[in-house]
Amino acid sequence: MNGQKTAASDPYFPANGDPRYRVHRYELALDYRPVPNRLAGTARLSAIVGREPLAEFHLNLAEFRTGRLLVNGRPPHYTHRGGRLRVRPAKALPAGAAFTVEVHWAGNPRPVRSPWGGLGWEELTDGALVASQPVGAPSWYPCNDRPADKASYQISVTTPSAYTVVAGGRLLTRTTRASTTTWVYEQPAPTSSYLVGLSIGMHRTVLLGDPGLDGVPQTAHVPAHLLPQFSRDFARQPAMMRLFEELFGPYPFGEYAVVVADEELDVPVEAQGLSLFGTNHVDGVRGSERLIAHELAHQWFGNSVTIADWRHIWLNEGFAKYAEWLWSERSGGRGAHETAAAAHRLLAGRPQDLKLADPGRKLMFDDRLYQRGGLAVHAVRRALGDGAFFPMLRDWATVHRHGVVTTTGFVSHAARYAAQPLDDLFSAWLHQPALPPLPA
């Protein structure tokens, strides 16, 4: 296998992911010892071949020592170099066939190097956390690392009993033997590899609000010394959940958890059914409330409605940014138009070299993408009017629930709710680098 970019490879990360097959389930069994930062794991992947027979395929996995590797129970030929497992089964896998891959690996996990610093598994002063967007998942498990390849997950983690383990999904069992505890989580909803979150730390677990019979269970895992500040900072998250369900449709997953790591983090990070914050996001005066709204909104925009590849990242970040503005508008803060005007003034003084619909790898996390993404959503709202905009927004999240989307798909979707063509609007906001005027 030559490792070259294939027709459906991610244009920003051609070495990540293999579009010739898809995984529909991962079962991960991990043993982690925090003090030596030692991880040993077994992964069982259930996958399906695409339209062409598969003589070889690849998985992404960082520089661990790999032990046994099996395809359909038989050892294949494989190599493991440069963060890729290149696998050649004993017999080619027929088109459309189901197959399994079993991988055993061990070593000292560390972040994957990237233009934005280390991504993925991060060893903390006491514990660990995972923040993988966009390409950090291979730092801790073998995966088909492309956002469009969504699968269900079962994750078992064994670690010393003093630690709390949190993963996205429902906690099935927690079993203590001697000095270790095994935590087993199940996430049945289709999940991208970069959105598989994990936290191992010294935490107190608290409930956020009373979900009632039909509400979403919301839990928080917080260092004990931060509980007083946390209880004020996150007090309005249940109200955010109610608002976003009203605006975007039912919450897409079974539960929602937040973790506060006992360290500062540059930015909070969303994972499937889970968001990770740092001590610097907890100040007792709601100083990071907009970020709480932003990460919660990602459960709809990014996690349930997932981009086909990283060119479309504005569909994640622009909609989550606009959700911040909607929360402010609906909770007694600044209106969305006032916030949009402030964002527009900010962007007007910055370079105009970003195309929202295809920013390039270098600019995909540029703050201008977030602000301009929010402005583009606001421009659609102004063009449609609230009577059409909010049904359009809710339908986008509902029709594509647990699906995969593109910018072209959103443009077509929004056009169905418009009395007048939106071509010029989308051309200006999505495809031209110059900043259009503030939507009137």
Side-chain angles (χ1 to χ4, degrees):
M1 183 164 151
N2 59 20
Q4 303 219 335
K5 179 175 174 178
T6 62
S9 291
D10 191 295
Y12 293 179
F13 303 99
N16 282 66
D18 187 335
R20 298 171 300 175
Y21 71 97
R22 62 183 179 88
V23 184
H24 62 84
R25 183 164 176 81
Y26 291 82
E27 294 175 355
L28 307 178
L30 310 175
D31 189 295
Y32 181 62
R33 305 300 151 137
V35 175
N37 185 37
R38 179 76 177 169
L39 179 68
T42 301
R44 181 180 174 86
L45 286 64
S46 301
I48 297 175
V49 181
R51 296 178 179 177
E52 302 292 332
L54 205 56
E56 51 194 352
F57 61 92
H58 78 251
L59 293 162
N60 294 102
L61 179 65
E63 305 305 315
F64 291 97
R65 178 174 53 80
T66 48
R68 189 168 58 163
L69 196 156
L70 302 173
V71 176
N72 290 336
R74 299 180 63 186
H77 174 74
Y78 74 92
T79 60
H80 185 199
R81 285 193 298 272
R84 290 175 118 192
L85 276 170
R86 291 176 168 84
V87 183
R88 184 184 292 273
K91 290 177 60 177
L93 303 168
F99 68 103
T100 61
V101 184
E102 185 178 313
V103 185
H104 298 243
W105 75 100
N108 299 105
R110 58 181 182 270
V112 173
R113 288 193 299 272
S114 85
W116 310 279
L119 299 173
W121 189 283
E122 184 173 343
E123 182 186 5
L124 303 178
T125 303
D126 196 5
L129 63 79
V130 168
S132 292
Q133 186 175 338
V135 290
S139 68
W140 64 290
Y141 75 101
C143 55
N144 190 10
D145 191 31
R146 51 197 298 262
D149 196 35
K150 300 171 71 169
S152 67
Y153 279 79
Q154 185 174 105
I155 302 174
S156 166
V157 182
T158 300
T159 201
S161 295
Y163 294 89
T164 298
V165 175
V166 185
R170 184 163 62 96
L171 178 62
L172 297 183
T173 60
R174 186 178 66 191
T175 309
T176 299
R177 291 188 180 87
S179 61
T180 65
T181 298
T182 300
W183 306 68
V184 181
Y185 284 87
E186 175 74 27
Q187 176 55 271
T191 305
S192 298
S193 50
Y194 85 92
L195 289 168
V196 183
L198 183 68
S199 166
I200 300 168
M202 300 286 190
H203 290 123
R204 291 273 296 277
T205 299
V206 295
L207 295 176
L208 281 167
D210 179 2
L213 288 176
D214 300 319
V216 179
Q218 298 175 62
T219 55
H221 309 273
V222 186
H225 67 93
L226 288 176
L227 278 171
Q229 298 96 312
F230 175 89
S231 61
R232 176 167 174 77
D233 290 338
F234 283 74
R236 302 210 291 180
Q237 183 181 283
M240 287 178 195
M241 179 70 79
R242 290 190 293 273
L243 174 64
F244 290 170
E245 286 200 303
E246 173 196 327
L247 298 179
F248 311 147
Y251 177 74
F253 309 110
E255 51 286 297
Y256 183 56
V258 296
V259 170
V260 177
D262 203 1
E263 298 197 9
E264 292 194 359
L265 301 181
D266 290 342
V267 291
V269 181
E270 76 273 12
Q272 192 99 321
L274 170 68
S275 293
L276 303 162
F277 296 83
T279 55
N280 49 316
H281 303 122
V282 179
D283 58 14
V285 293
R286 295 181 179 158
S288 295
E289 190 170 81
R290 71 170 186 85
L291 299 176
I292 297 169
H294 185 102
E295 301 311 324
L296 177 58
H298 271 312
Q299 301 304 321
W300 286 265
F301 304 112
N303 299 13
S304 172
V305 181
T306 302
I307 52 176
D309 63 61
W310 291 106
R311 289 174 299 182
H312 311 287
I313 189 171
W314 84 276
L315 290 171
N316 294 0
E317 301 303 345
F319 282 73
K321 174 59 71 175
Y322 202 67
E324 295 177 31
W325 303 355
L326 290 172
W327 166 249
S328 174
E329 183 171 84
R330 294 293 191 98
S331 64
R334 282 201 305 186
H337 190 67
E338 188 182 349
T339 311
H344 195 274
R345 287 193 298 271
L346 184 74
L347 289 179
R350 296 186 179 179
Q352 304 301 317
D353 61 351
L354 180 143
K355 291 185 181 180
L356 196 59
D358 189 1
R361 187 165 84 166
K362 184 178 177 182
L363 298 179
M364 61 185 280
F365 293 116
D366 193 296
D367 181 61
R368 293 173 297 163
L369 180 134
Y370 292 62
Q371 302 290 347
R372 184 167 174 143
L375 281 165
V377 178
H378 188 63
V380 175
R381 179 182 178 182
R382 287 296 195 172
L384 297 182
D386 284 5
F389 172 77
F390 285 106
M392 181 282 296
L393 190 61
R394 184 184 172 101
D395 289 350
W396 174 248
T398 304
V399 169
H400 298 287
R401 181 181 173 99
H402 302 317
V404 174
V405 295
T406 63
T407 297
T408 300
F410 175 70
V411 168
S412 298
H413 173 84
R416 291 197 284 272
Y417 297 77
Q420 304 292 331
L422 300 176
D423 303 30
D424 291 346
L425 181 153
F426 282 125
S427 175
W429 281 102
L430 302 183
H431 301 292
Q432 306 302 321
L435 180 66
L438 179 69

